[in-house]
């Protein structure tokens, strides 16, 4: 079965960094786009970063562009989200998701989801 295992969340001070990891299994890694979404209580999931299959073009939300970097390690079937210069407003539960081929901004379009990993940022 398809499985996405997210890890790397934790507690950091504002201005600090974290690297989230998403280990994928049960799917052809090269045929899927991977995204990172975040969610805070009372709000829907927001896509913060995405990377296409094949060309591996990346996309970022305006709020994280320049601070976050999404990347893949094809040999390890793993997706990363490097988060730098973290702000209190970045605190959320972060989810890894997979969609065949191309990124989509609508969470409903994504095929598979991992468990959330909590990121807490102190002010």
């Amino acid at each position: 079965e398809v499985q996405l295992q997210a890890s790397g969340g934790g507690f950091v001070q504002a201005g600090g960094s974290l690297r989230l990891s998403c280990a994928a299994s049960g799917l052809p890694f090269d045929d899927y786009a991977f995204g990172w979404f975040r969610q805070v209580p009372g709000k829907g999931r927001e896509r913060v970063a995405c990377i296409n299959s094949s060309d591996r073009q990346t996309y970022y939300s305006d709020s994280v562009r320049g601070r976050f970097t999404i990347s893949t390690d094809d040999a390890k079937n793993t997706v990363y989200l490097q988060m730098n210069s973290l702000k209190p407003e970045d605190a959320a539960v972060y989810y890894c998701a997979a969609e065949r081929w191309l990124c989509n901004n609508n969470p409903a379009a994504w095929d598979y989801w991992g468990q959330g990993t909590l990121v807490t940022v102190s002010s």
Side-chain angles (χ1 to χ4, degrees):
E1 65 180 44
V2 173
Q3 193 168 26
L4 302 176
Q5 294 289 339
S7 62
F11 182 92
V12 297
Q13 293 183 330
S17 298
L18 283 174
R19 188 177 74 163
L20 306 183
S21 298
C22 176
S25 61
L27 56 78
F29 189 82
D30 291 344
D31 291 342
Y32 278 80
F34 294 93
W36 287 97
F37 294 74
R38 66 188 182 190
Q39 187 170 30
V40 297
K43 296 184 179 180
R45 293 185 184 183
E46 172 197 15
R47 196 189 77 182
V48 298
C50 190
I51 184 165
N52 279 339
S53 65
S54 186
D55 66 3
R56 292 304 188 206
Q57 185 173 161
T58 58
Y59 303 87
Y60 299 94
S61 67
D62 291 341
S63 62
V64 309
R65 188 176 297 108
R67 299 186 297 119
F68 291 11
T69 303
I70 187 171
S71 62
T72 59
D73 185 333
D74 293 342
K76 296 181 178 180
N77 288 355
T78 299
V79 186
Y80 302 99
L81 184 68
Q82 179 67 47
M83 304 186 294
N84 298 327
S85 301
L86 283 162
K87 304 175 181 179
E89 51 263 44
D90 294 320
V93 177
Y94 283 73
Y95 298 87
C96 177
E99 177 190 9
R100 193 173 188 274
W101 197 243
L102 296 177
C103 294
N104 196 301
N105 197 46
N106 183 2
W110 289 76
D111 297 319
Y112 304 105
W113 294 86
Q115 87 288 1
T117 184
L118 178 63
V119 173
T120 302
V121 184
S122 64
S123 59

